[in-house]
């Protein structure tokens, strides 16, 4: 069962560096729009999740933010009409590089225009138009989704009254750019990538994707958590007994099994486009500096959350964002959480994140 | 010109997990052994450097620790007889996987026994015997070299009076194991690795080595330094103009040029063996716990230095080492430096490191 709904645009969709003909946008919803139409909460995802943030009668499987969204949850579907969109450029119902270009009847692959976070933000506006929402109660996003939520507020001032940005940043810095650049190179240099022309559906650059995912998983957590979790435990079943460089430590076997689960569920070209979009994002592009860009914001309040052990999106970047927002909008709350799970904390340290988000709503 | 000297063992060399027949050990020296033979300082290197720590009349080219070793430098060759060894398993004169096995007249390649940090430490004893040094003034090492220096003190108690360990650790933790495991996998999965049987001399797994080096470089520095150094600068000459995923940011171009310099200078199989040796190291193996292992130490003093921005060998690991040593030996100094260059600080932040080391000597 799937709760995914779609809307297909009747006409061209302008992107910052190109255009798409009649793209489709996928989304899921929880709760009901009230009579005043002022209770809609829009969720943007990180790089890889689908629109399935939480279970619902139409799809009882657990979503990627199951503990955060639903009846009586911090983003309470008894009170709010919650919408989560699959990002433009992704591969879970929304048009992306793995979709058919209706003007050629071929897959887009690398003919897909360079994607920006602003394009992802703008695409959500069509979903909101389609479901009859002119103004949002809140736009919320974590990781890449936090960038998209901020871009939404910058490109469509006034369309949301409130912003929540979690473990995100106002711009990408060279450390995370370097890591993502290496991840993309690992995919592109896999000969099975075939310059983006691998068979779809099919295997494609499996080894490159495995490397990219493993590196991602290493950077999404923290050294402290892994020390606590794995220590120096050895695997009970050494996977390559005759190989002096085979997997031996528990942490190696953990990475291998999780990376293998990711492969096949996410299209490599989509991964490349979304990853690059994060590098390109700089909120200061909207005005010359963060402060100048933020003068156009018509937000009433913002909540910025960061995690001390996040080294991919360091808490100093959330603090920078909160300080710049504080010059521009009436009410800014900055929360620095002591979670030890690094960048991924918003997915797992629910005991800290649930109250932090619930308080804002 | 080369200042490298070698000694070849006349007989077998026992390793923890195997043995070598008549291995050769390469080393360089600075200064003179005094009459009392009590002024020798032994340096162990990190994973990749050669024994050429500093210039000398025999080899005026700059060494990898040029600012630290030499006449009037913190490790003063006017006062000390300084010896730096090329690690067992490496490829700069000392026997390693890229050397010929005299029992078969073939290259060792993967027939080289699994290497441990203790093996590297023990190999240095033969160099010391050869040059007539029975007791060291100090053994010093940074990064992997700090592990080796500690292993030397554990396996040969009393042979050094003092220990200096810089940006190192008493054991490898899962975060750094995961990173090194991924680096090794990137080399092993390169089809040009050919199960270790690539042509020597030749190209071998160039792409895998490029990935491994780039990942290494990312983890050797800190996000703060790179933000300061590169910001969001774009390259002046985009290297792949038609490629939407080509290098664009200055940091990407920096990694590419530095990784290319590394390739060809370091043997891939040697890299695999030395990298794995770091994972395997745990000083607690010598007694069941750090504290129990350290009871056998016969050190008079130790200096432990860590850097706050090092996330590969976090400063908490140096603190753990210093605290455990403090229970076992008379004088332990722990210095926490505020360098922003991360793990590599000991190579570049000489304004902080020179006085910290000089004070100890």
């Amino acid at each position: 069962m799937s709760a995914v709904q779609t809307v297909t645009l009747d006409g061209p969709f302008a992107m910052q560096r190109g255009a798409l003909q009649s793209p489709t946008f996928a989304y899921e919803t929880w709760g009901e729009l009230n009579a005043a139409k002022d209770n809609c909460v829009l969720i943007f995802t990180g790089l890889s999740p689908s629109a399935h943030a939480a279970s619902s009668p139409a799809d009882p499987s657990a979503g990627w933010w199951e503990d955060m969204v639903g009846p009586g949850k911090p983003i309470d579907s008894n009170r709010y009409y919650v919408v989560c969109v699959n990002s433009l450029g992704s591969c879970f119902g929304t048009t992306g590089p793995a979709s058919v270009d209706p003007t050629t009847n071929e897959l887009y692959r690398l003919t897909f225009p360079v994607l920006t976070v602003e394009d992802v933000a703008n695409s959500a506006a069509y979903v909101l138009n389609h479901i009859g929402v002119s103004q949002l109660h809140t736009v919320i996003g974590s990781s890449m989704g936090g960038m998209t939520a901020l871009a939404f507020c910058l490109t469509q001032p006034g369309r949301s009254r409130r912003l929540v940005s979690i473990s995100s940043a106002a711009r990408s810095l060279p450390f995370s750019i370097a890591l993502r650049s290496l991840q993309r190179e690992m995919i592109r240099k896999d000969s099975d990538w075939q310059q983006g022309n691998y068979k779809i559906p099919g295997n494609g650059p499996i080894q490159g994707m495995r490397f990219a995912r493993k590196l991602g998983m290493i950077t999404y957590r923290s050294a402290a958590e892994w020390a606590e979790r794995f220590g120096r435990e050895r695997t009970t079943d050494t996977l390559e007994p005759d190989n002096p460089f085979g997997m031996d430590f528990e942490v190696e076997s953990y990475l291998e099994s999780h990376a293998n689960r990711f492969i096949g569920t996410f299209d490599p070209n989509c991964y490349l486009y979304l990853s690059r979009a994060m590098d390109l994002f700089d909120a200061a592009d909207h005005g010359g500096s963060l402060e100048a860009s933020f003068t156009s914001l018509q937000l009433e309040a913002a909540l910025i959350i960061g995690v001390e052990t996040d080294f991919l999106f360091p808490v100093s970047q959330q603090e920078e964002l909160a300080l710049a927002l504080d010059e521009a909008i009436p009410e800014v709350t900055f929360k620095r959480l002591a979670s030890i799970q690094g960048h991924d904390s918003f997915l797992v340290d629910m005991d800290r994140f649930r109250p932090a988000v619930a308080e804002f709503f």
Side-chain angles (χ1 to χ4, degrees), chain A residues 30 80 152 252 259 272 287 291 293 322 336:
Chain A
W30 299 261
Y80 298 105
F152 183 92
E252 298 179 281
L272 294 173
E291 289 67 19
S293 298
R336 173 196 294 258

Side-chain angles (χ1 to χ4, degrees), chain A residues 18 112 201 250:
Chain A
F112 199 84
E250 194 65 42

Side-chain angles (χ1 to χ4, degrees), chain A residues 225-239:
Chain A
E225 184 208 356
W226 281 15
E228 208 170 85
R229 186 163 163 187
F230 299 114
R232 289 182 51 82
E233 286 302 309
R234 306 303 177 92
T235 53
T236 43
D237 49 333
T238 298
L239 301 183

Side-chain angles (χ1 to χ4, degrees), chain A residues 318-340:
Chain A
Q318 286 96 45
E319 196 164 18
E320 177 195 38
L321 173 59
L323 288 171
L325 285 171
D326 203 37
E327 301 291 307
I329 64 176
E331 189 192 324
V332 175
T333 308
F334 171 53
K335 285 188 196 275
R336 173 196 294 258
L337 303 186
S339 311
I340 70 156

